[in-house]
Amino acid sequence: MENNNKVKDYVSFQIHKSLVNLYKRYLNLIEDIQEDHNTMIDKISSKIDQNTLKNIDYFDDNKYNYLRKKILDIGNETIRDIEKNFDFIKMEFKDENEK
């Protein structure tokens, strides 16, 4: 039975680690998008009036933080759901010497 729990813990840990890596990649993506957005805003800042620039600057720090929080919330919720479902799983391994 102890060996079964170790396997279950290992599988749970690996899923958790993979999900954390997934939402870290999403965070990297929104950082890239924000950087691209800021580059474009800088390029056009001298060509249009400041009021128009302010109106099209949608990816500010508030938007970034909002998206970051959503990604983290979704990732954490997914991990909690998986861990909750793991409570319903019983893993048993048959000893290869058993018949």
Side-chain angles (χ1 to χ4, degrees), residues 6-49:
K6 286 182 181 179
V7 171
K8 188 175 174 180
D9 290 344
Y10 174 79
V11 171
S12 177
F13 173 78
Q14 293 302 321
I15 291 171
H16 181 274
K17 188 172 84 167
S18 293
L19 284 169
V20 168
N21 286 333
L22 177 67
Y23 63 84
K24 281 182 180 179
R25 289 180 183 133
Y26 280 117
L27 292 173
N28 288 336
L29 284 173
I30 65 167
E31 288 171 2
D32 290 347
I33 293 169
Q34 186 184 40
E35 189 175 315
D36 289 347
H37 173 78
N38 289 337
T39 299
M40 183 55 67
I41 291 295
D42 288 344
K43 285 180 180 179
I44 64 171
S45 65
S46 64
K47 296 176 176 37
I48 62 174
D49 66 273

Side-chain angles (χ1 to χ4, degrees), residues 86-97:
F86 254 78
D87 291 341
F88 298 111
I89 297 173
K90 179 179 177 183
M91 292 183 184
E92 291 184 21
F93 296 93
K94 187 175 178 181
D95 188 343
E96 63 185 46
N97 296 325

Side-chain angles (χ1 to χ4, degrees), residues 27 30 34 37-38 54 57-71:
L27 292 173
I30 65 167
Q34 186 184 40
H37 173 78
N38 289 337
K54 185 178 175 182
D57 187 6
Y58 67 91
F59 210 129
D60 57 10
D61 288 339
N62 289 334
K63 183 68 167 186
Y64 169 81
N65 288 325
Y66 169 78
L67 292 173
R68 182 181 184 282
K69 182 181 181 323
K70 295 293 273 187
I71 289 168

Side-chain angles (χ1 to χ4, degrees), residues 72-87:
L72 293 173
D73 287 348
I74 291 167
N76 290 330
E77 182 181 333
T78 302
I79 288 171
R80 282 191 297 274
D81 287 345
I82 288 172
E83 288 175 350
K84 181 178 71 176
N85 287 315
F86 254 78
D87 291 341

